[in-house]
Amino acid sequence: MPIWFVEDGERLLLLPIHGTDTGWYRNIAKTPEIRLAAEGAELRATAKTIEDPPAVEDTVDKFGGKYGAERVAEYYPKQNGFVEVPLG
């Protein structure tokens, strides 16, 4: 399943479309060990769900900078949580 992301320093930010109601977000909250794969590369990491409003707003702004604020507002109607994945 394709997921939009933002690389922010040594972390990857994932914004769930339906916020904390998104299935994969709830799964990560229960079992934070994840595997991401793209173009032949694979990353195994312990992800962290974040629901702090200022941090969520900052992440939404980062997504808006990458994908366009209007598109993010359209595709992500519930913006109340995100996932942080360490890259290092």
Side-chain angles (χ1 to χ4, degrees):
M1 153 179 21
I3 298 175
W4 284 5
F5 67 91
V6 170
E7 190 174 342
D8 184 43
E10 290 295 313
R11 62 190 189 142
L12 197 64
L13 306 176
L14 308 174
L15 191 62
I17 290 175
H18 300 291
T20 57
D21 295 334
T22 302
W24 62 260
Y25 182 91
R26 290 193 320 260
N27 289 341
I28 289 172
K30 291 178 185 174
T31 308
E33 290 74 29
I34 65 167
R35 180 183 69 86
L36 300 175
E39 298 179 0
E42 183 176 305
L43 170 70
R44 292 183 182 273
T46 300
K48 179 179 176 184
T49 56
I50 299 174
E51 297 173 23
D52 174 62
V56 171
E57 183 177 341
D58 183 59
T59 296
V60 170
D61 288 345
K62 285 178 170 64
F63 270 71
K66 181 174 181 180
Y67 298 105
E70 291 177 5
R71 291 178 74 197
V72 171
E74 178 183 349
Y75 295 146
Y76 295 88
K78 186 171 185 180
Q79 302 172 353
N80 67 341
F82 69 96
V83 172
E84 177 182 278
V85 180
L87 294 175

